[in-house]
Amino acid sequence: MRTVVVTGVPRAQRAAELEQFGVATVHEAQGRTGYLGPDLVARVPGARIAGPVVTAVCWPGDNLMIHAAVEQCVPGDVLVVTTTSPCRDGLFGELLATSLRSRGVRGAVLTTGVRDVAALRALPFPVWSTSVSAQGTVKATAGAVNVPVVVGGALIHPGDALVADDDGVVVVPRADVDAVADASRAREAKEDATRAALAAGELGLDRYGLRPLLERLGVVYERY
């Protein structure tokens, strides 16, 4: 890995627009791709964010490059942190959150542990992580900022759009944001119509045309 801080990354221009749709809708709208997996848990329940990505790659137990990444963040960004090998230590807490918040950063996503959870909720500063750990870290080893990373099998480039809420986290490639935003809006309109129909008593079996499928699968109805 090159120890580098990449500056001047172009950012997805409509990234913030995806916030209104949420993770599930965006994931479906882009063909069920980009989901970062179920291990990332919202530590500030109820938060929903979207914005362009700044990435940081750290060594396990070392958060030096998070501090380097803070400088590269601009208002509206979302910080994504991963490590060169698995780590559950608390690389991120209240002080880093305070620094990012002062720069207008929307939130952070970490494949590691976080700590100071009560303080993060009080700020509030939305964070998604794989664990919570009071274990502290050092600042000793160089990593990288604004390089491509893989999280949960999904490739993330700096400047891509990221959406996060209670359902998890999804990434949208920068080049696809316009199309995904439009598809998300269309999907939301369709779901609004379906929601109204279900609320009025229509069955999913009929709304989704599932009765012929049950018949083809050999499902029979028998009276008790």
Side-chain angles (χ1 to χ4, degrees), residues 124-177:
F125 187 81
V127 172
W128 287 255
S129 72
T130 57
S131 58
V132 172
S133 173
Q135 177 64 51
T137 58
V138 300
K139 299 167 180 61
T141 310
V145 173
N146 275 337
V147 298
V149 298
V150 175
V151 177
L155 177 62
I156 304 172
H157 288 91
D160 285 348
L162 189 130
V163 187
D165 60 21
D166 284 334
D167 288 339
V169 185
V170 65
V171 65
V172 179
R174 182 165 60 92
D176 297 341
V177 170

mmCIF file of all heavy atoms in Angstrom, residues 124-177:
data_model
loop_
_atom_site.group_PDB
_atom_site.id
_atom_site.type_symbol
_atom_site.label_atom_id
_atom_site.label_comp_id
_atom_site.label_asym_id
_atom_site.label_seq_id
_atom_site.Cartn_x
_atom_site.Cartn_y
_atom_site.Cartn_z
ATOM 1 N N PRO A 124 -25.540 15.422 18.126
ATOM 2 C CA PRO A 124 -25.279 14.041 17.723
ATOM 3 C C PRO A 124 -24.334 14.030 16.513
ATOM 4 O O PRO A 124 -24.319 14.964 15.719
ATOM 5 C CB PRO A 124 -26.658 13.536 17.319
ATOM 6 C CG PRO A 124 -27.358 14.755 16.775
ATOM 7 C CD PRO A 124 -26.811 15.943 17.542
ATOM 8 N N PHE A 125 -23.582 12.918 16.379
ATOM 9 C CA PHE A 125 -22.763 12.714 15.191
ATOM 10 C C PHE A 125 -22.965 11.280 14.739
ATOM 11 O O PHE A 125 -22.532 10.334 15.408
ATOM 12 C CB PHE A 125 -21.284 12.965 15.472
ATOM 13 C CG PHE A 125 -20.440 12.914 14.224
ATOM 14 C CD1 PHE A 125 -20.369 14.011 13.378
ATOM 15 C CD2 PHE A 125 -19.741 11.765 13.884
ATOM 16 C CE1 PHE A 125 -19.604 13.966 12.211
ATOM 17 C CE2 PHE A 125 -18.971 11.710 12.721
ATOM 18 C CZ PHE A 125 -18.918 12.819 11.882
ATOM 19 N N PRO A 126 -23.634 11.071 13.596
ATOM 20 C CA PRO A 126 -23.962 9.720 13.148
ATOM 21 C C PRO A 126 -22.717 8.902 12.810
ATOM 22 O O PRO A 126 -21.838 9.360 12.082
ATOM 23 C CB PRO A 126 -24.813 9.956 11.898
ATOM 24 C CG PRO A 126 -25.350 11.345 12.048
ATOM 25 C CD PRO A 126 -24.253 12.096 12.733
ATOM 26 N N VAL A 127 -22.667 7.690 13.343
ATOM 27 C CA VAL A 127 -21.555 6.775 13.091
ATOM 28 C C VAL A 127 -22.098 5.373 12.885
ATOM 29 O O VAL A 127 -23.007 4.940 13.613
ATOM 30 C CB VAL A 127 -20.555 6.780 14.272
ATOM 31 C CG1 VAL A 127 -19.505 5.688 14.085
ATOM 32 C CG2 VAL A 127 -19.869 8.130 14.390
ATOM 33 N N TRP A 128 -21.533 4.673 11.915
ATOM 34 C CA TRP A 128 -21.811 3.256 11.689
ATOM 35 C C TRP A 128 -20.501 2.506 11.883
ATOM 36 O O TRP A 128 -19.460 2.917 11.361
ATOM 37 C CB TRP A 128 -22.345 3.025 10.284
ATOM 38 C CG TRP A 128 -23.746 3.497 10.089
ATOM 39 C CD1 TRP A 128 -24.866 2.723 9.998
ATOM 40 C CD2 TRP A 128 -24.196 4.853 9.956
ATOM 41 N NE1 TRP A 128 -25.982 3.512 9.832
ATOM 42 C CE2 TRP A 128 -25.602 4.823 9.801
ATOM 43 C CE3 TRP A 128 -23.552 6.090 9.966
ATOM 44 C CZ2 TRP A 128 -26.369 5.977 9.656
ATOM 45 C CZ3 TRP A 128 -24.320 7.252 9.822
ATOM 46 C CH2 TRP A 128 -25.705 7.181 9.675
ATOM 47 N N SER A 129 -20.551 1.391 12.620
ATOM 48 C CA SER A 129 -19.322 0.633 12.869
ATOM 49 C C SER A 129 -19.650 -0.840 13.024
ATOM 50 O O SER A 129 -20.812 -1.229 13.181
ATOM 51 C CB SER A 129 -18.610 1.148 14.126
ATOM 52 O OG SER A 129 -19.313 0.773 15.291
ATOM 53 N N THR A 130 -18.603 -1.662 13.007
ATOM 54 C CA THR A 130 -18.807 -3.097 13.170
ATOM 55 C C THR A 130 -18.818 -3.515 14.633
ATOM 56 O O THR A 130 -19.230 -4.627 14.944
ATOM 57 C CB THR A 130 -17.708 -3.884 12.442
ATOM 58 O OG1 THR A 130 -16.429 -3.475 12.951
ATOM 59 C CG2 THR A 130 -17.764 -3.618 10.943
ATOM 60 N N SER A 131 -18.334 -2.628 15.520
ATOM 61 C CA SER A 131 -18.318 -2.975 16.942
ATOM 62 C C SER A 131 -18.174 -1.719 17.777
ATOM 63 O O SER A 131 -17.940 -0.619 17.261
ATOM 64 C CB SER A 131 -17.163 -3.948 17.252
ATOM 65 O OG SER A 131 -15.925 -3.376 16.888
ATOM 66 N N VAL A 132 -18.346 -1.893 19.077
ATOM 67 C CA VAL A 132 -18.101 -0.834 20.054
ATOM 68 C C VAL A 132 -17.015 -1.343 20.988
ATOM 69 O O VAL A 132 -17.088 -2.466 21.493
ATOM 70 C CB VAL A 132 -19.376 -0.498 20.853
ATOM 71 C CG1 VAL A 132 -19.066 0.469 21.988
ATOM 72 C CG2 VAL A 132 -20.448 0.072 19.934
ATOM 73 N N SER A 133 -15.978 -0.527 21.201
ATOM 74 C CA SER A 133 -14.868 -0.965 22.042
ATOM 75 C C SER A 133 -14.218 0.234 22.722
ATOM 76 O O SER A 133 -13.908 1.241 22.064
ATOM 77 C CB SER A 133 -13.820 -1.706 21.209
ATOM 78 O OG SER A 133 -12.668 -1.981 21.986
ATOM 79 N N ALA A 134 -13.974 0.116 24.014
ATOM 80 C CA ALA A 134 -13.267 1.163 24.757
ATOM 81 C C ALA A 134 -11.763 1.124 24.519
ATOM 82 O O ALA A 134 -11.039 2.028 24.944
ATOM 83 C CB ALA A 134 -13.550 1.020 26.250
ATOM 84 N N GLN A 135 -11.287 0.067 23.842
ATOM 85 C CA GLN A 135 -9.850 -0.068 23.606
ATOM 86 C C GLN A 135 -9.318 1.113 22.797
ATOM 87 O O GLN A 135 -9.789 1.397 21.700
ATOM 88 C CB GLN A 135 -9.570 -1.365 22.845
ATOM 89 C CG GLN A 135 -8.106 -1.582 22.479
ATOM 90 C CD GLN A 135 -7.217 -1.722 23.702
ATOM 91 O OE1 GLN A 135 -7.518 -2.519 24.582
ATOM 92 N NE2 GLN A 135 -6.155 -0.939 23.764
ATOM 93 N N GLY A 136 -8.328 1.807 23.338
ATOM 94 C CA GLY A 136 -7.754 2.962 22.672
ATOM 95 C C GLY A 136 -6.760 2.581 21.584
ATOM 96 O O GLY A 136 -6.481 1.411 21.342
ATOM 97 N N THR A 137 -6.204 3.619 20.926
ATOM 98 C CA THR A 137 -5.308 3.402 19.800
ATOM 99 C C THR A 137 -4.075 4.290 19.911
ATOM 100 O O THR A 137 -4.003 5.179 20.753
ATOM 101 C CB THR A 137 -6.021 3.721 18.473
ATOM 102 O OG1 THR A 137 -6.466 5.084 18.507
ATOM 103 C CG2 THR A 137 -7.218 2.805 18.260
ATOM 104 N N VAL A 138 -3.108 4.053 19.021
ATOM 105 C CA VAL A 138 -1.917 4.894 18.928
ATOM 106 C C VAL A 138 -1.979 5.688 17.631
ATOM 107 O O VAL A 138 -2.887 5.509 16.820
ATOM 108 C CB VAL A 138 -0.626 4.043 18.981
ATOM 109 C CG1 VAL A 138 -0.555 3.277 20.284
ATOM 110 C CG2 VAL A 138 -0.567 3.081 17.789
ATOM 111 N N LYS A 139 -1.001 6.571 17.458
ATOM 112 C CA LYS A 139 -0.875 7.356 16.226
ATOM 113 C C LYS A 139 0.576 7.226 15.794
ATOM 114 O O LYS A 139 1.405 8.078 16.106
ATOM 115 C CB LYS A 139 -1.262 8.801 16.487
ATOM 116 C CG LYS A 139 -2.702 8.976 16.955
ATOM 117 C CD LYS A 139 -2.943 10.376 17.491
ATOM 118 C CE LYS A 139 -4.380 10.525 17.962
ATOM 119 N NZ LYS A 139 -4.739 9.604 19.054
ATOM 120 N N ALA A 140 0.882 6.148 15.069
ATOM 121 C CA ALA A 140 2.287 5.827 14.830
ATOM 122 C C ALA A 140 2.608 5.354 13.421
ATOM 123 O O ALA A 140 3.766 5.420 13.017
ATOM 124 C CB ALA A 140 2.741 4.764 15.828
ATOM 125 N N THR A 141 1.603 4.881 12.666
ATOM 126 C CA THR A 141 1.908 4.207 11.402
ATOM 127 C C THR A 141 1.174 4.861 10.245
ATOM 128 O O THR A 141 -0.029 5.109 10.323
ATOM 129 C CB THR A 141 1.515 2.719 11.484
ATOM 130 O OG1 THR A 141 2.055 2.161 12.673
ATOM 131 C CG2 THR A 141 2.037 1.963 10.283
ATOM 132 N N ALA A 142 1.905 5.115 9.174
ATOM 133 C CA ALA A 142 1.316 5.758 8.004
ATOM 134 C C ALA A 142 0.401 4.808 7.244
ATOM 135 O O ALA A 142 0.698 3.617 7.109
ATOM 136 C CB ALA A 142 2.416 6.266 7.079
ATOM 137 N N GLY A 143 -0.688 5.358 6.755
ATOM 138 C CA GLY A 143 -1.616 4.620 5.892
ATOM 139 C C GLY A 143 -1.907 5.446 4.657
ATOM 140 O O GLY A 143 -0.996 5.984 4.047
ATOM 141 N N ALA A 144 -3.189 5.584 4.324
ATOM 142 C CA ALA A 144 -3.541 6.323 3.111
ATOM 143 C C ALA A 144 -4.882 7.018 3.279
ATOM 144 O O ALA A 144 -5.737 6.582 4.067
ATOM 145 C CB ALA A 144 -3.587 5.380 1.912
ATOM 146 N N VAL A 145 -5.055 8.105 2.532
ATOM 147 C CA VAL A 145 -6.301 8.872 2.513
ATOM 148 C C VAL A 145 -6.724 9.073 1.065
ATOM 149 O O VAL A 145 -5.897 9.396 0.200
ATOM 150 C CB VAL A 145 -6.130 10.234 3.217
ATOM 151 C CG1 VAL A 145 -7.388 11.091 3.044
ATOM 152 C CG2 VAL A 145 -5.817 10.048 4.696
ATOM 153 N N ASN A 146 -7.997 8.882 0.828
ATOM 154 C CA ASN A 146 -8.606 9.065 -0.490
ATOM 155 C C ASN A 146 -8.026 8.112 -1.536
ATOM 156 O O ASN A 146 -7.673 8.509 -2.656
ATOM 157 C CB ASN A 146 -8.493 10.520 -0.947
ATOM 158 C CG ASN A 146 -9.620 11.372 -0.391
ATOM 159 O OD1 ASN A 146 -10.679 10.862 -0.040
ATOM 160 N ND2 ASN A 146 -9.385 12.670 -0.293
ATOM 161 N N VAL A 147 -7.971 6.841 -1.143
ATOM 162 C CA VAL A 147 -7.657 5.764 -2.073
ATOM 163 C C VAL A 147 -8.863 4.823 -2.114
ATOM 164 O O VAL A 147 -9.670 4.808 -1.189
ATOM 165 C CB VAL A 147 -6.390 4.996 -1.645
ATOM 166 C CG1 VAL A 147 -5.183 5.912 -1.649
ATOM 167 C CG2 VAL A 147 -6.577 4.344 -0.268
ATOM 168 N N PRO A 148 -9.025 4.031 -3.170
ATOM 169 C CA PRO A 148 -10.137 3.076 -3.211
ATOM 170 C C PRO A 148 -10.028 2.047 -2.087
ATOM 171 O O PRO A 148 -8.931 1.598 -1.744
ATOM 172 C CB PRO A 148 -9.982 2.413 -4.582
ATOM 173 C CG PRO A 148 -9.207 3.394 -5.394
ATOM 174 C CD PRO A 148 -8.259 4.048 -4.431
ATOM 175 N N VAL A 149 -11.183 1.674 -1.522
ATOM 176 C CA VAL A 149 -11.230 0.661 -0.469
ATOM 177 C C VAL A 149 -12.373 -0.303 -0.777
ATOM 178 O O VAL A 149 -13.280 0.008 -1.547
ATOM 179 C CB VAL A 149 -11.430 1.280 0.933
ATOM 180 C CG1 VAL A 149 -10.264 2.199 1.292
ATOM 181 C CG2 VAL A 149 -12.753 2.039 1.020
ATOM 182 N N VAL A 150 -12.311 -1.473 -0.162
ATOM 183 C CA VAL A 150 -13.399 -2.456 -0.285
ATOM 184 C C VAL A 150 -13.984 -2.687 1.093
ATOM 185 O O VAL A 150 -13.260 -3.009 2.041
ATOM 186 C CB VAL A 150 -12.893 -3.784 -0.880
ATOM 187 C CG1 VAL A 150 -14.019 -4.823 -0.878
ATOM 188 C CG2 VAL A 150 -12.378 -3.569 -2.298
ATOM 189 N N VAL A 151 -15.287 -2.518 1.215
ATOM 190 C CA VAL A 151 -15.995 -2.741 2.472
ATOM 191 C C VAL A 151 -17.183 -3.647 2.199
ATOM 192 O O VAL A 151 -18.015 -3.340 1.334
ATOM 193 C CB VAL A 151 -16.481 -1.413 3.095
ATOM 194 C CG1 VAL A 151 -17.291 -1.681 4.362
ATOM 195 C CG2 VAL A 151 -15.306 -0.492 3.400
ATOM 196 N N GLY A 152 -17.248 -4.767 2.894
ATOM 197 C CA GLY A 152 -18.362 -5.686 2.708
ATOM 198 C C GLY A 152 -18.489 -6.182 1.285
ATOM 199 O O GLY A 152 -19.597 -6.456 0.808
ATOM 200 N N GLY A 153 -17.373 -6.280 0.587
ATOM 201 C CA GLY A 153 -17.389 -6.748 -0.793
ATOM 202 C C GLY A 153 -17.693 -5.668 -1.814
ATOM 203 O O GLY A 153 -17.667 -5.939 -3.023
ATOM 204 N N ALA A 154 -17.972 -4.452 -1.367
ATOM 205 C CA ALA A 154 -18.296 -3.353 -2.278
ATOM 206 C C ALA A 154 -17.083 -2.440 -2.441
ATOM 207 O O ALA A 154 -16.450 -2.038 -1.465
ATOM 208 C CB ALA A 154 -19.478 -2.554 -1.753
ATOM 209 N N LEU A 155 -16.770 -2.100 -3.676
ATOM 210 C CA LEU A 155 -15.667 -1.197 -3.975
ATOM 211 C C LEU A 155 -16.129 0.243 -3.798
ATOM 212 O O LEU A 155 -17.159 0.647 -4.340
ATOM 213 C CB LEU A 155 -15.177 -1.424 -5.400
ATOM 214 C CG LEU A 155 -14.062 -0.513 -5.901
ATOM 215 C CD1 LEU A 155 -12.794 -0.677 -5.062
ATOM 216 C CD2 LEU A 155 -13.778 -0.790 -7.372
ATOM 217 N N ILE A 156 -15.353 1.018 -3.047
ATOM 218 C CA ILE A 156 -15.677 2.418 -2.788
ATOM 219 C C ILE A 156 -14.515 3.285 -3.258
ATOM 220 O O ILE A 156 -13.379 3.111 -2.811
ATOM 221 C CB ILE A 156 -15.924 2.666 -1.289
ATOM 222 C CG1 ILE A 156 -17.027 1.756 -0.747
ATOM 223 C CG2 ILE A 156 -16.261 4.135 -1.041
ATOM 224 C CD1 ILE A 156 -17.186 1.826 0.762
ATOM 225 N N HIS A 157 -14.803 4.220 -4.138
ATOM 226 C CA HIS A 157 -13.816 5.203 -4.567
ATOM 227 C C HIS A 157 -14.082 6.524 -3.841
ATOM 228 O O HIS A 157 -15.244 6.885 -3.605
ATOM 229 C CB HIS A 157 -13.896 5.442 -6.075
ATOM 230 C CG HIS A 157 -13.372 4.310 -6.898
ATOM 231 N ND1 HIS A 157 -14.181 3.281 -7.335
ATOM 232 C CD2 HIS A 157 -12.127 4.038 -7.366
ATOM 233 C CE1 HIS A 157 -13.465 2.424 -8.046
ATOM 234 N NE2 HIS A 157 -12.211 2.854 -8.078
ATOM 235 N N PRO A 158 -13.035 7.249 -3.507
ATOM 236 C CA PRO A 158 -13.267 8.588 -2.951
ATOM 237 C C PRO A 158 -14.078 9.422 -3.931
ATOM 238 O O PRO A 158 -13.853 9.361 -5.139
ATOM 239 C CB PRO A 158 -11.854 9.149 -2.766
ATOM 240 C CG PRO A 158 -10.970 8.285 -3.598
ATOM 241 C CD PRO A 158 -11.609 6.945 -3.657
ATOM 242 N N GLY A 159 -15.048 10.161 -3.405
ATOM 243 C CA GLY A 159 -15.931 10.947 -4.253
ATOM 244 C C GLY A 159 -17.214 10.252 -4.631
ATOM 245 O O GLY A 159 -18.143 10.900 -5.118
ATOM 246 N N ASP A 160 -17.290 8.919 -4.425
ATOM 247 C CA ASP A 160 -18.557 8.219 -4.608
ATOM 248 C C ASP A 160 -19.580 8.736 -3.609
ATOM 249 O O ASP A 160 -19.240 9.389 -2.613
ATOM 250 C CB ASP A 160 -18.379 6.704 -4.409
ATOM 251 C CG ASP A 160 -17.687 6.028 -5.569
ATOM 252 O OD1 ASP A 160 -17.536 6.654 -6.630
ATOM 253 O OD2 ASP A 160 -17.279 4.859 -5.403
ATOM 254 N N ALA A 161 -20.849 8.416 -3.839
ATOM 255 C CA ALA A 161 -21.904 8.788 -2.901
ATOM 256 C C ALA A 161 -22.171 7.651 -1.939
ATOM 257 O O ALA A 161 -22.161 6.474 -2.329
ATOM 258 C CB ALA A 161 -23.183 9.141 -3.652
ATOM 259 N N LEU A 162 -22.395 7.996 -0.679
ATOM 260 C CA LEU A 162 -22.690 6.984 0.330
ATOM 261 C C LEU A 162 -23.953 7.386 1.066
ATOM 262 O O LEU A 162 -24.143 8.552 1.415
ATOM 263 C CB LEU A 162 -21.515 6.856 1.299
ATOM 264 C CG LEU A 162 -21.613 5.681 2.268
ATOM 265 C CD1 LEU A 162 -20.327 4.881 2.254
ATOM 266 C CD2 LEU A 162 -21.895 6.176 3.675
ATOM 267 N N VAL A 163 -24.831 6.412 1.286
ATOM 268 C CA VAL A 163 -26.082 6.617 2.010
ATOM 269 C C VAL A 163 -26.094 5.673 3.202
ATOM 270 O O VAL A 163 -25.730 4.497 3.076
ATOM 271 C CB VAL A 163 -27.308 6.340 1.116
ATOM 272 C CG1 VAL A 163 -28.597 6.731 1.824
ATOM 273 C CG2 VAL A 163 -27.190 7.073 -0.215
ATOM 274 N N ALA A 164 -26.496 6.174 4.375
ATOM 275 C CA ALA A 164 -26.516 5.339 5.578
ATOM 276 C C ALA A 164 -27.726 5.695 6.442
ATOM 277 O O ALA A 164 -28.059 6.868 6.592
ATOM 278 C CB ALA A 164 -25.221 5.530 6.376
ATOM 279 N N ASP A 165 -28.366 4.662 6.987
ATOM 280 C CA ASP A 165 -29.463 4.854 7.930
ATOM 281 C C ASP A 165 -29.571 3.614 8.800
ATOM 282 O O ASP A 165 -28.626 2.811 8.866
ATOM 283 C CB ASP A 165 -30.778 5.189 7.209
ATOM 284 C CG ASP A 165 -31.245 4.108 6.232
ATOM 285 O OD1 ASP A 165 -30.816 2.935 6.372
ATOM 286 O OD2 ASP A 165 -32.051 4.417 5.330
ATOM 287 N N ASP A 166 -30.691 3.424 9.465
ATOM 288 C CA ASP A 166 -30.832 2.285 10.374
ATOM 289 C C ASP A 166 -30.780 0.939 9.649
ATOM 290 O O ASP A 166 -30.568 -0.101 10.282
ATOM 291 C CB ASP A 166 -32.146 2.383 11.156
ATOM 292 C CG ASP A 166 -32.091 3.418 12.273
ATOM 293 O OD1 ASP A 166 -30.977 3.686 12.767
ATOM 294 O OD2 ASP A 166 -33.143 3.956 12.648
ATOM 295 N N ASP A 167 -30.981 0.934 8.328
ATOM 296 C CA ASP A 167 -30.923 -0.312 7.556
ATOM 297 C C ASP A 167 -29.506 -0.689 7.147
ATOM 298 O O ASP A 167 -29.284 -1.789 6.632
ATOM 299 C CB ASP A 167 -31.782 -0.194 6.293
ATOM 300 C CG ASP A 167 -33.275 -0.201 6.597
ATOM 301 O OD1 ASP A 167 -33.651 -0.690 7.675
ATOM 302 O OD2 ASP A 167 -34.050 0.281 5.756
ATOM 303 N N GLY A 168 -28.546 0.208 7.340
ATOM 304 C CA GLY A 168 -27.170 -0.088 6.961
ATOM 305 C C GLY A 168 -26.574 1.003 6.110
ATOM 306 O O GLY A 168 -26.924 2.182 6.231
ATOM 307 N N VAL A 169 -25.685 0.598 5.196
ATOM 308 C CA VAL A 169 -24.929 1.549 4.386
ATOM 309 C C VAL A 169 -24.860 1.037 2.948
ATOM 310 O O VAL A 169 -24.653 -0.157 2.709
ATOM 311 C CB VAL A 169 -23.489 1.730 4.931
ATOM 312 C CG1 VAL A 169 -22.760 2.814 4.155
ATOM 313 C CG2 VAL A 169 -23.501 2.051 6.421
ATOM 314 N N VAL A 170 -25.010 1.952 1.982
ATOM 315 C CA VAL A 170 -24.905 1.592 0.572
ATOM 316 C C VAL A 170 -24.068 2.650 -0.140
ATOM 317 O O VAL A 170 -24.135 3.840 0.192
ATOM 318 C CB VAL A 170 -26.303 1.455 -0.089
ATOM 319 C CG1 VAL A 170 -27.035 2.780 -0.130
ATOM 320 C CG2 VAL A 170 -26.205 0.864 -1.479
ATOM 321 N N VAL A 171 -23.257 2.221 -1.103
ATOM 322 C CA VAL A 171 -22.437 3.140 -1.882
ATOM 323 C C VAL A 171 -22.944 3.182 -3.312
ATOM 324 O O VAL A 171 -23.398 2.168 -3.860
ATOM 325 C CB VAL A 171 -20.942 2.734 -1.839
ATOM 326 C CG1 VAL A 171 -20.715 1.395 -2.519
ATOM 327 C CG2 VAL A 171 -20.069 3.816 -2.476
ATOM 328 N N VAL A 172 -22.892 4.373 -3.913
ATOM 329 C CA VAL A 172 -23.285 4.568 -5.298
ATOM 330 C C VAL A 172 -22.095 5.168 -6.040
ATOM 331 O O VAL A 172 -21.594 6.230 -5.657
ATOM 332 C CB VAL A 172 -24.491 5.527 -5.410
ATOM 333 C CG1 VAL A 172 -24.876 5.725 -6.880
ATOM 334 C CG2 VAL A 172 -25.671 5.007 -4.604
ATOM 335 N N PRO A 173 -21.593 4.509 -7.091
ATOM 336 C CA PRO A 173 -20.480 5.071 -7.843
ATOM 337 C C PRO A 173 -20.784 6.489 -8.327
ATOM 338 O O PRO A 173 -21.919 6.789 -8.727
ATOM 339 C CB PRO A 173 -20.322 4.102 -9.025
ATOM 340 C CG PRO A 173 -20.868 2.806 -8.507
ATOM 341 C CD PRO A 173 -22.014 3.191 -7.613
ATOM 342 N N ARG A 174 -19.786 7.339 -8.293
ATOM 343 C CA ARG A 174 -19.983 8.749 -8.641
ATOM 344 C C ARG A 174 -20.628 8.912 -10.014
ATOM 345 O O ARG A 174 -21.509 9.762 -10.206
ATOM 346 C CB ARG A 174 -18.632 9.471 -8.598
ATOM 347 C CG ARG A 174 -18.702 10.960 -8.883
ATOM 348 C CD ARG A 174 -17.420 11.658 -8.459
ATOM 349 N NE ARG A 174 -16.249 11.138 -9.160
ATOM 350 C CZ ARG A 174 -15.768 11.637 -10.303
ATOM 351 N NH1 ARG A 174 -16.365 12.680 -10.858
ATOM 352 N NH2 ARG A 174 -14.693 11.133 -10.867
ATOM 353 N N ALA A 175 -20.227 8.095 -10.971
ATOM 354 C CA ALA A 175 -20.764 8.214 -12.331
ATOM 355 C C ALA A 175 -22.226 7.800 -12.427
ATOM 356 O O ALA A 175 -22.908 8.142 -13.407
ATOM 357 C CB ALA A 175 -19.923 7.375 -13.296
ATOM 358 N N ASP A 176 -22.721 7.070 -11.426
ATOM 359 C CA ASP A 176 -24.082 6.546 -11.485
ATOM 360 C C ASP A 176 -25.077 7.339 -10.648
ATOM 361 O O ASP A 176 -26.275 7.011 -10.635
ATOM 362 C CB ASP A 176 -24.107 5.086 -10.997
ATOM 363 C CG ASP A 176 -23.281 4.167 -11.868
ATOM 364 O OD1 ASP A 176 -22.992 4.543 -13.027
ATOM 365 O OD2 ASP A 176 -22.921 3.073 -11.384
ATOM 366 N N VAL A 177 -24.624 8.345 -9.936
ATOM 367 C CA VAL A 177 -25.486 9.024 -8.965
ATOM 368 C C VAL A 177 -26.716 9.637 -9.624
ATOM 369 O O VAL A 177 -27.831 9.516 -9.101
ATOM 370 C CB VAL A 177 -24.688 10.083 -8.185
ATOM 371 C CG1 VAL A 177 -25.630 10.967 -7.361
ATOM 372 C CG2 VAL A 177 -23.685 9.411 -7.261
#
